[in-house]
Amino acid sequence: SGTAAKAWHHAFRGGLLKHTTELVELAAAVAPLFPEVNRDLVVAAAFLHDLGKIEEMDAGMAIDYTTAGRLVGHIVIGNQMMIERARTIPEFPAALQLQLQHLILSHQGELAFSSPVVPKTPEAMLLHKLDDLNAQMRGVLRVVQQARERGQEWSDYIRILERQLWTGPADV
């Protein structure tokens, strides 16, 4: 089973599956708070958003990127995979395919984070925020746990967060 990332979040065998299932659960739980949002679309996109990581990441002896991952990236790969699958379904709705494409292509949220487009629908904005929440919290919780295991009250400096994290009171 693949990994969701090289280092920060869900960077272990089975991490992609764990990240995907957590995001699907988040989407199913949070979308109903916003009745104007198409819950089914957000949940489907949560399932599909990182599909391209199957071909982007190599979880061999060391987690690294494949050549396709480095040259094309998981967002474009996943979009292509979704389009190819949709073509095999007779009369797959063109509007649905376009919406799924937008959700996949914009899920990183910013052009600087490899999204070809930024989220432009409520569903895309929700997917991006939940994906980021899941990734950041898993990374933060891993860092805190590792620091606690080393007996540290504070983590080492975390470059991606530009801060150290407090592990909690020593007497708890």
Side-chain angles (χ1 to χ4, degrees):
S1 178
T3 178
K6 184 172 179 177
W8 177 239
H9 77 95
H10 300 88
F12 52 88
R13 286 189 187 282
L16 179 58
L17 179 60
K18 181 153 181 68
H19 171 57
T20 300
T21 58
E22 288 174 349
L23 187 56
V24 167
E25 289 177 22
L26 276 169
V30 173
L33 297 173
F34 306 99
E36 303 86 355
V37 169
N38 182 331
R39 176 192 175 278
D40 293 342
L41 183 60
V42 176
V43 170
F47 181 75
L48 296 171
H49 83 289
D50 274 347
L51 185 64
K53 287 194 176 190
I54 294 168
E55 293 183 19
E56 178 188 48
M57 303 301 300
D58 179 9
M61 292 300 286
I63 296 170
D64 205 352
Y65 294 94
T66 63
T67 298
R70 289 176 193 260
L71 291 176
V72 180
H74 81 279
I75 295 174
V76 172
I77 294 168
N79 182 57
Q80 290 172 330
M81 292 170 77
M82 185 278 297
I83 290 170
E84 288 170 10
R85 180 66 178 125
R87 284 185 181 141
T88 69
I89 301 169
E91 300 181 34
F92 191 88
L96 176 58
Q97 180 178 315
L98 187 61
Q99 290 175 78
L100 286 171
Q101 281 186 267
H102 178 66
L103 286 155
I104 291 168
L105 293 172
S106 69
H107 81 265
Q108 296 282 102
E110 297 179 34
L111 303 178
F113 296 145
S114 301
S115 275
V117 293
V118 296
K120 296 178 184 175
T121 66
E123 291 81 6
M125 185 62 71
L126 182 57
L127 178 69
H128 160 61
K129 295 295 185 182
L130 293 176
D131 181 39
D132 188 55
L133 171 67
N134 182 248
Q136 296 308 317
M137 284 305 300
R138 282 295 165 214
V140 164
L141 293 171
R142 179 183 50 80
V143 166
V144 168
Q145 181 62 36
Q146 289 173 345
R148 284 180 181 153
E149 289 170 359
R150 291 189 300 267
Q152 296 174 277
E153 184 179 357
W154 287 91
S155 75
D156 296 332
Y157 182 80
I158 310 304
R159 191 172 49 110
I160 194 169
L161 299 176
E162 299 180 336
R163 70 195 79 180
Q164 291 177 280
L165 295 173
W166 185 46
T167 66
D171 61 345
V172 175

